[in-house]
Amino acid sequence: MRVTVLLLASVLFACAPAFAQEWELYTNNEDGFKLDFPGTPKVTQTTFKSEYGADLPARVYTANKGQERYSLTVADYREAPRLLDEKAKATCQPGDERSCGLTLAGRGYWKEDMAGAPLWAAYNMLQRNAKLTHLAFAWQDLIAGEEIQLLNADQSRTFAFVAMHRDRLYILEGTVPKGYPPPVLFQQSMGYVDENGNGMRYTAIYSNMQAEHPDAFPARPPLTGQGRGGGPGAAPNAPPASGR
C-alpha cells in the first residue's frame, strides 16, 4: 500500500507543472489589468457603443478551455466626454434638452454616460436569451462594480463582473457548461496595473467617478438649502444644515 501511495504521489507531482501551466497570469499595461487566463488570450480590436452613442475603442481578450469560455472586454471611456460634447455641438437645437444635455449632466450627457457605463453593460447582458439568477453590487480587488450570473438557453452558466477603473470599462465573463463548477479562479484573479505594469491596490473601495472626476462627482456635494417646501402656503426653504 505504501508503495502504491508513493507511486501515485510521484505521478501527481510530475503532472503538477502541466496542470499549473494551463492557467497563467496575463498582464496588459496598456489596458491596465492583470488576469488569470487558461493560456494566452486572443486579442480583438473592436468598437464599443456607449449608452449615449459614443463610439469608443475597445479590445476583447478571449480564451477557451475545453467547453469553458473566458473573456474580458475593455472599453476606453477616456474620450467619451469630448466625443459626446462634439456630437451635442453638431446636433443641439435651442431648447432641445435631449441633444444638448443639462448643466449637471454635461453637454451630450457625458456624466450620465460615464457614471452609468457599468449599468449599461449589465443591461446589455440582460438582453440575451438567458435567465438572470444573480445581480448585486460587488467589488474585485476593491474596485466597485456589478456582479451578474446568467443561466443560458443551453443550460450553461455565465458569471460576470462589470467595473470601471480610471475611465476604462471592464466586462469580465466566464461561461461554463451545465454541472461545471463556477469559474472562481478566473473571476477572483482580476487586478489592475499602472502604465508600468505595477499592481494597483487601494485601501478602501474605489468609485471611478468620484476618484477620476471629483469636481463633477464630489464625495459630499455642498447643500444649498433648496428642496423643502414648495407651492402656495408651504413653509420656506430651510438654510443648509451644518455638518451632517
Side-chain angles (χ1 to χ4, degrees):
M1 179 64 70
R2 176 179 171 80
V3 174
T4 302
V5 171
L6 289 175
L7 180 59
L8 179 59
S10 299
V11 171
L12 292 175
F13 179 79
C15 293
F19 286 116
Q21 289 170 4
E22 291 186 6
W23 284 88
E24 58 185 45
L25 178 64
Y26 177 82
T27 301
N28 189 287
N29 298 356
E30 187 174 1
D31 279 336
F33 72 90
K34 56 182 179 178
L35 180 63
D36 284 345
F37 275 100
T40 303
K42 175 184 176 182
V43 184
T44 305
Q45 301 279 350
T46 186
T47 299
F48 183 89
K49 187 173 286 292
S50 74
E51 181 179 5
Y52 286 83
D55 291 323
L56 306 173
R59 294 185 184 90
V60 182
Y61 301 82
T62 57
N64 296 334
K65 181 175 180 287
Q67 300 180 63
E68 303 168 28
R69 305 188 303 275
Y70 301 94
S71 71
L72 173 67
T73 300
V74 184
D76 192 343
Y77 269 76
R78 290 176 296 177
E79 292 298 313
R82 178 185 62 80
L83 293 172
L84 292 171
D85 183 72
E86 291 177 353
K87 179 180 178 182
K89 285 180 182 179
T91 61
C92 179
Q93 300 295 324
D96 183 1
E97 175 188 308
R98 181 67 182 179
S99 65
C100 301
L102 298 170
T103 301
L104 291 178
R107 183 153 52 186
Y109 290 87
W110 74 263
K111 298 177 186 178
E112 294 191 12
D113 199 47
M114 294 189 72
L119 191 58
W120 170 244
Y123 170 79
N124 286 329
M125 286 188 190
L126 298 184
Q127 306 313 300
R128 300 175 183 174
N129 183 20
K131 178 183 177 181
L132 177 68
T133 59
H134 177 76
L135 174 62
F137 168 82
W139 61 81
Q140 292 286 1
D141 207 22
L142 289 176
I143 307 299
E146 317 291 340
E147 191 175 73
I148 306 154
Q149 294 179 17
L150 301 172
L151 178 63
N152 303 306
D154 63 358
Q155 298 301 300
S156 65
R157 294 184 299 162
T158 296
F159 296 78
F161 176 71
V162 182
M164 199 122 175
H165 181 242
R166 300 180 83 176
D167 289 345
R168 290 184 178 89
L169 177 68
Y170 297 87
I171 306 171
L172 183 74
E173 296 186 61
T175 299
V176 295
K178 180 180 180 180
Y180 276 51
V184 176
L185 176 62
F186 180 70
Q187 193 171 22
Q188 296 296 323
S189 68
M190 181 68 183
Y192 303 86
V193 299
D194 63 17
E195 295 80 0
N196 299 314
N198 299 312
M200 303 181 67
R201 178 75 174 183
Y202 298 94
T203 58
I205 300 171
Y206 167 102
S207 172
N208 183 81
M209 299 309 291
Q210 290 181 347
E212 309 303 331
H213 304 274
D215 293 338
F217 287 82
R220 185 187 293 276
L223 294 170
T224 65
Q226 302 301 308
R228 295 182 60 187
N237 288 324
S242 60
R244 295 182 66 88

